[in-house]
C-alpha cells in the first residue's frame, strides 16, 4: 500500500463511529440471528433454559425462576448438578479426554499442559486430599494463590466436594487475607511458597502466615504448593501445614464422586469492595452462575471447544472465575493461563504467547490496552496474530481511541470487539454487543444482552431520555446474579435493591437492581457506562473502596483524618489521591508519607498504593460536616471547581489546589 493510501485509511478509521463484524465471522458465530433479542423477551424467563441446556444436570430443575420472595430470587430450583463434573467428567466421558484444558505459561517461559484427563485426575486427587484434611460439604475453603494451575485445580476440587471456595487475590495483603477468612469463618487455606514477578521470586508464604496469625478462629489445615523449588525462601511448614505434592502422592489415582449440589447451593464466595470499609462477600450459586458463565462464554465470547481461548485477567478477580475457569471449562475449550506481567521479559510477551499457542479469542482490560498503545505498535507487529478471531475487553470504560488501536493493531481490522460491562455481583456479562449480531460503536458497550432488562434512570427512578446521564439499573433478575452478601441479607437488599411500590403491578417487577454505575443510552439502545457513582474507584481495572483505603490511612500514627478519591490517570484509568490531616505534633513530611503508603499496602496491597498523598490542615466540608469528595476529585484532576459557596471552609480549597499542582509538577 502506498504511504498516501495508508494515511488516508488511518484517517478514515479515526473518524469511523460504527463497525460491522465481517460476513466470515457472522457465518461461523455461535449466535448470529438478531431474532434472539425478541425470542428472549417473548419467552422470558423460560428463555434462560438456553443457558441451563449448556450444562448437564443430575436432576432436572422444576422451575426456571422462583420469584416468590424478591429480591431473593432463585433459579433452576429443584435442579441438581456438580460444577466440577460439568467442567471435567463430562468432557472426559464424551471423547474429549485428550483435548487440552489448560495451557499454562509461566513467567520464565516454562509451560505446563493439562488435558481434560490430566485435570480430572489431579482435581480428584486433590478433592480426596481436602476430604482427608477434614473439609466437609459447605465449609468455605480460602484459596490465596497466584496464577498457577493449582489454583483452578483447587477451585474445581472444592466444587467437586461441595465446599465453596473463596479466592483471595494474591496481591492482597496479609491483613486482607485475614479479614476475608474471618468474615467467611473459613478454617482451610490453600496457598503457595511464592511466585515469580519480573524475574524475581516473591515470598508469598510469609504473607500467608502473617494472615493466618490474624485469623480469629481455629484454622484446621493449610496446603502449600511448592512453586519456587530451589528459588524458595526456606520456610518450614507449620504443624497443620501440608505440602501439595505430598498430599497428592498420598492420594495417587483416588477418585471422588462429584457431590450432587442443589442449583441454589453456594459455589463460591468472592469478596469485593463497596461503599463501606468492610469488603462484601458476594455469594454465587451452582446452577444459575454456571449456566450463565457458560451461556455468555458461548454467546459473547463465541467459544467453541476447538478454540484456544485466552483471558489475561487474574483468577483472583471475578473475570478469572467466570472467564478463565468456569465458563471456558464448562464448554470444554482450551483456556490459556499466564503467570506473569505483559512487559516481562519484553513488551511483546502477550503477542508472543498469542502467536505461540495460536490463540483464537483474546479477552483483556482497557488499562492493558492503554499500556500497549503507549509502548507502540512495533511490539505486536513482531508477531503473527492472524489466528485471532475475536477480541474482548472488560473492567472499565474503554475510550474510542484505545478501542480503535486494539481493533487495528491486534485485530487487524478483522476481529469484532466485545466491550463487556458486568460486575462481581452479576456473575457474568450483562451489557455488550453479540459479536455475530450487532454493529459495534467504540466507547459504548452496546445493548443489554438478550433477556437482560437494563435501563438508565434518574434519581426518582424514571427512565431518562437518550443521551442523558443517569443511573444504570437492571429491572429483571438473571441467572448469574449474586444471591446475597454472605451472612448479610439486610445489607444485600439495602445496597443493591430498590422497590418501586408505586408502579401498577405488585409483582417482582417492582424490584430494581442498582449496580452503582452511571451511564447513558443512545437512540439505538447502546449503553455507554460512565463509571461508578459510589465510593468505589477503579485502578487498572481493580475495584477498590475509598473507605477501605481511608480506614487504612487513619490507622497510621500521626494521621487525624483522611479523604481518598480517584483521579483520572492515563494508564491506570484512575489513581488514588489521599488528602490527609495530620495530628497535632506530627508533620506532613516524607516519613509520614512513607508510613501512610506502607499502611495502605499492609491493609490492602500494593494495588491500592496512593499516587499522591496531599497534606492539608483541613478538608473541604459542607455545613453539615460532610467531606466534599467531588471537589477533591476536581482538584486532583485540575478541573474547574464548581460552586464552593456551600462549604463551611471555602478558603481551604485554594490552598489544597496549590499543593496538588505543586506536587503534580514534581
Ligand atoms: C466497571 C469486573 C465500563 C463498572 C467484571 C463496574 C466497566 C465495575 C466495564 C465492576 C465496561 C466493568 N465498561 N465499566 N465494559 N466492565 N466496568 O466487580 O464500574 O471488579 O461496576 O467486575 O467495573 O468491577 P468488578
Amino acid at each position: 500500500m502506498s504511504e498516501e493510501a495508508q494515511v488516508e485509511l488511518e484517517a478514515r478509521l479515526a473518524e469511523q463511529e460504527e463497525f460491522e463484524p465481517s460476513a466470515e465471522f457472522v457465518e461461523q458465530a455461535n449466535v448470529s440471528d438478531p431474532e434472539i433479542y425478541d425470542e428472549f423477551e417473548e419467552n422470558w424467563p423460560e428463555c434462560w433454559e438456553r443457558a441451563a441446556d449448556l450444562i448437564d444436570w443430575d436432576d432436572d430443575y422444576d422451575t426456571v425462576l422462583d420469584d416468590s420472595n424478591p429480591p431473593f430470587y432463585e433459579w433452576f430450583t429443584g435442579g441438581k448438578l456438580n460444577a466440577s463434573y460439568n467442567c471435567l467428567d463430562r468432557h472426559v466421558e464424551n471423547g474429549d479426554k485428550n483435548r487440552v484444558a489448560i495451557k499454562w505459561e509461566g513467567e520464565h517461559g516454562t509451560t505446563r499442559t493439562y488435558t481434560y484427563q490430566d485435570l480430572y485426575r489431579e482435581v480428584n486427587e486433590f478433592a480426596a486430599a481436602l476430604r482427608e484434611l477434614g473439609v466437609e460439604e459447605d465449609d468455605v475453603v480460602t484459596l490465596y494463590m497466584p496464577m498457577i494451575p493449582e489454583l483452578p485445580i483447587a477451585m474445581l476440587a472444592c466444587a467437586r466436594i461441595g465446599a465453596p471456595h473463596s479466592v483471595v487475590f494474591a496481591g492482597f495483603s496479609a491483613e486482607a487475607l485475614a479479614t476475608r477468612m474471618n468474615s467467611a469463618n473459613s478454617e482451610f487455606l490453600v496457598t503457595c511458597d511464592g511466585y515469580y514477578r519480573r524475574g524475581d521470586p516473591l515470598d508469598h508464604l510469609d504473607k500467608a502466615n502473617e494472615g493466618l496469625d490474624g485469623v480469629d478462629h481455629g484454622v484446621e489445615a493449610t496446603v502449600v504448593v511448592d512453586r519456587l523449588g530451589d528459588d524458595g525462601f526456606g520456610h518450614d511448614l507449620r504443624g497443620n501445614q501440608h505440602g501439595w505434592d505430598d498430599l497428592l502422592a498420598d492420594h495417587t489415582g483416588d477418585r471422588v464422586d462429584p457431590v450432587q449440589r442443589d442449583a441454589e447451593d453456594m459455589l463460591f464466595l468472592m469478596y469485593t469492595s463497596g461503599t463501606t470499609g468492610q469488603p462484601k462477600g458476594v455469594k454465587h450459586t451452582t446452577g444459575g452462575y454456571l449456566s450463565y458463565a457458560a451461556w455468555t462464554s458461548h454467546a459473547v465470547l463465541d467459544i467453541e471447544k476447538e478454540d484456544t481461548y485466552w483471558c489475561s485477567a487474574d483468577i483472583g478477580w471475578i473475570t478469572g472465575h467466570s472467564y478463565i475457569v468456569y465458563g471456558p471449562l464448562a464448554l470444554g475449550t482450551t483456556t490459556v493461563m499466564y503467570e506473569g506481567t505483559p512487559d516481562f521479559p519484553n513488551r511483546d510477551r502477550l503477542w508472543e504467547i498469542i502467536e505461540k499457542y495460536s490463540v483464537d479469542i483474546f479477552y483483556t482490560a482497557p488499562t492493558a490496552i492503554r499500556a500497549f498503545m503507549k509502548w507502540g505498535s512495533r511490539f505486536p507487529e513482531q508477531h503473527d496474530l492472524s489466528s485471532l478471531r475475536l477480541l474482548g475487553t472488560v473492567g472499565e470504560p474503554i475510550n474510542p481511541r484505545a478501542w480503535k488501536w486494539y481493533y487495528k493493531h491486534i485485530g487487524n481490522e478483522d476481529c469484532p470487539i466485545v466491550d463487556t460491562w458486568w460486575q462481581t455481583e452479576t456473575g457474568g456479562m450483562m451489557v455488550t454487543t453479540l459479536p455475530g449480531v450487532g454493529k459495534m460503536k467504540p466507547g459504548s458497550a452496546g445493548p443489554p444482552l438478550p433477556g437482560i432488562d437494563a435501563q438508565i434512570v434518574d434519581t426518582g427512578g424514571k427512565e431518562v431520555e437518550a443521551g442523558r446521564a443517569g443511573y444504570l439499573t437492571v429491572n429483571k433478575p438473571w441467572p448469574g446474579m449474586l444471591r446475597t452478601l454472605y451472612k448479610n441479607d439486610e445489607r444485600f437488599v439495602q445496597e443493591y435493591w430498590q422497590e418501586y411500590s408505586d408502579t401498577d403491578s405488585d409483582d417482582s417487577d417492582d424490584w430494581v437492581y442498582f449496580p452503582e454505575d452511571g451511564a447513558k443510552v443512545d437512540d439505538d439502545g447502546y449503553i455507554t457506562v460512565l463509571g461508578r457513582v459510589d465510593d468505589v474507584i477503579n485502578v487498572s481495572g481493580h475495584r477498590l473502596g475509598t473507605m477501605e483505603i481511608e480506614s487504612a490511612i487513619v490507622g497510621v500514627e500521626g494521621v487525624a483524618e483522611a479523604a481518598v478519591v480517584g483521579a483520572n490517570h492515563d494508564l491506570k484509568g484512575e489513581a488514588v489521591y489521599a488528602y490527609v490531616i495530620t495530628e497535632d505534633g506530627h508533620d506532613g513530611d516524607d516519613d509520614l508519607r512513607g508510613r501512610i503508603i506502607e499502611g495502605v499496602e499492609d491493609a490492602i496491597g500494593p494495588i491500592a498504593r496512593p499516587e499522591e498523598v496531599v497534606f492539608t490542615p483541613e478538608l473541604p466540608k459542607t455545613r453539615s460536616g460532610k467531606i466534599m469528595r467531588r471537589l477533591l476529585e476536581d482538584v486532583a484532576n485540575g478541573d474547574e471547581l464548581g460552586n464552593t459557596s456551600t462549604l463551611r471552609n471555602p478558603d481551604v480549597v485554594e490552598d489544597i489546589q496549590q499543593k496538588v499542582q505543586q506536587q503534580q509538577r514534581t
Side-chain angles (χ1 to χ4, degrees), residues 310-356:
W310 184 19
C311 164
S312 71
D314 191 294
I315 296 176
W317 307 97
I318 191 71
T319 304
H321 279 53
S322 302
Y323 301 114
I324 298 177
V325 182
Y326 286 111
L329 294 179
L331 296 183
T333 197
T334 300
T335 179
V336 176
M337 254 183 98
Y338 173 49
E339 180 186 36
T341 48
D343 56 352
F344 185 85
N346 294 305
R347 289 176 166 178
D348 67 338
R349 188 70 172 108
L350 302 193
W351 321 125
E352 182 183 77
I353 295 173
I354 289 181
E355 179 172 11
K356 178 172 173 188

Side-chain angles (χ1 to χ4, degrees), residues 319 395-397 419-424 517 529 532 538 543:
T319 304
E396 45 176 328
D419 171 359
T420 60
W421 176 88
W422 59 291
Q423 311 180 291
T424 304
D517 269 323
V529 178
R532 303 286 304 193
N538 195 326
R543 177 167 157 183

Side-chain angles (χ1 to χ4, degrees), residues 262-434:
D262 279 338
E264 281 294 306
D265 278 342
M266 173 159 54
L267 179 61
F268 66 86
L269 265 182
M270 167 112 252
Y271 282 88
T272 189
S273 297
T275 301
T276 67
Q278 283 302 310
K280 337 184 239 200
V282 169
K283 174 181 159 182
H284 281 294
T285 57
T286 312
Y289 170 83
L290 192 65
S291 306
Y292 200 69
W295 163 250
T296 44
S297 296
H298 167 85
V300 181
L301 293 173
D302 200 45
I303 292 178
E304 317 223 20
K305 61 183 183 181
E306 294 76 15
D307 286 325
T308 301
Y309 157 82
W310 184 19
C311 164
S312 71
D314 191 294
I315 296 176
W317 307 97
I318 191 71
T319 304
H321 279 53
S322 302
Y323 301 114
I324 298 177
V325 182
Y326 286 111
L329 294 179
L331 296 183
T333 197
T334 300
T335 179
V336 176
M337 254 183 98
Y338 173 49
E339 180 186 36
T341 48
D343 56 352
F344 185 85
N346 294 305
R347 289 176 166 178
D348 67 338
R349 188 70 172 108
L350 302 193
W351 321 125
E352 182 183 77
I353 295 173
I354 289 181
E355 179 172 11
K356 178 172 173 188
Y357 295 121
S358 188
V359 169
D360 300 274
I361 302 160
F362 180 59
Y363 190 34
T364 193
T367 186
I369 298 168
R370 289 192 297 269
F372 305 148
M373 235 172 109
K374 188 170 159 230
W375 299 339
S377 57
R378 70 199 157 97
F379 294 104
E381 276 159 14
Q382 291 162 15
H383 296 278
D384 177 4
L385 305 180
S386 61
S387 58
L388 289 169
R389 174 173 96 240
L390 174 67
L391 300 173
T393 78
V394 57
E396 45 176 328
I398 179 164
N399 56 309
R401 234 184 86 200
W403 192 102
K404 288 174 185 174
W405 188 92
Y406 193 37
Y407 186 72
K408 177 168 195 292
H409 294 285
I410 308 304
N412 193 30
E413 298 180 40
D414 208 23
C415 303
I417 296 179
V418 284
D419 171 359
T420 60
W421 176 88
W422 59 291
Q423 311 180 291
T424 304
E425 291 87 342
T426 67
M429 300 156 175
M430 301 288 282
V431 177
T432 169
T433 51
L434 285 167

Side-chain angles (χ1 to χ4, degrees), residues 535-540 542-553 562-569 572-580 596-597 600-601 604-614 629 632-633 636-637 660 663-664:
D535 294 321
V536 168
I537 58 179
N538 195 326
V539 179
S540 303
H542 300 317
R543 177 167 157 183
L544 301 169
T546 51
M547 302 287 182
E548 280 169 71
I549 308 176
E550 283 170 13
S551 96
I553 296 177
V564 165
V565 298
N568 298 334
H569 189 279
K572 299 179 184 171
E574 284 186 287
V576 175
Y577 267 58
Y579 298 88
V580 175
I596 287 172
I597 290 174
V600 172
E601 293 193 347
I604 303 166
I607 45 168
R609 187 189 164 98
E611 182 89 5
E612 294 286 356
V613 176
V614 183
R629 284 160 204 286
L632 291 172
E633 249 171 61
N637 289 333
V660 169
Q663 280 183 226
Q664 284 173 338

Side-chain angles (χ1 to χ4, degrees), residues 108-219:
H108 286 76
T110 39
T111 61
R112 276 153 74 182
T113 300
Y114 290 81
T115 62
Y116 275 92
Q117 173 68 27
D118 297 333
L119 202 58
Y120 168 78
R121 204 190 57 239
E122 196 153 332
V123 166
N124 270 279
E125 292 171 354
F126 193 59
L130 286 176
R131 278 244 174 101
E132 187 205 293
L133 294 174
V135 179
E136 289 177 7
E137 198 173 344
D138 293 321
D139 285 346
V140 176
V141 179
T142 302
L143 310 178
Y144 184 44
M145 296 160 91
M147 288 290 281
I148 54 177
E150 287 81 358
L151 175 52
I153 289 169
M155 290 163 80
L156 294 171
C158 287
R160 195 161 191 90
I161 59 174
H165 51 73
S166 164
V167 179
V168 177
F169 175 57
F172 275 140
S173 66
E175 200 177 317
L177 170 66
T179 311
R180 286 158 180 75
M181 285 186 78
N182 288 335
S183 160
N185 208 13
S186 173
E187 298 177 336
F188 299 92
L189 174 69
V190 186
T191 185
C192 66
D193 59 345
Y195 54 104
Y196 294 95
R197 262 298 168 278
R198 298 210 156 77
D200 295 322
L202 216 124
D203 194 341
H204 190 61
L205 187 55
D206 191 46
K207 230 172 32 163
N209 279 336
E210 198 188 321
L212 284 169
D213 293 338
V215 174
D216 58 16
H217 53 265
V219 173

Side-chain angles (χ1 to χ4, degrees), residues 67-79:
D67 58 2
S68 56
N69 184 27
F72 296 93
Y73 298 96
E74 297 193 344
W75 287 89
F76 309 122
T77 43

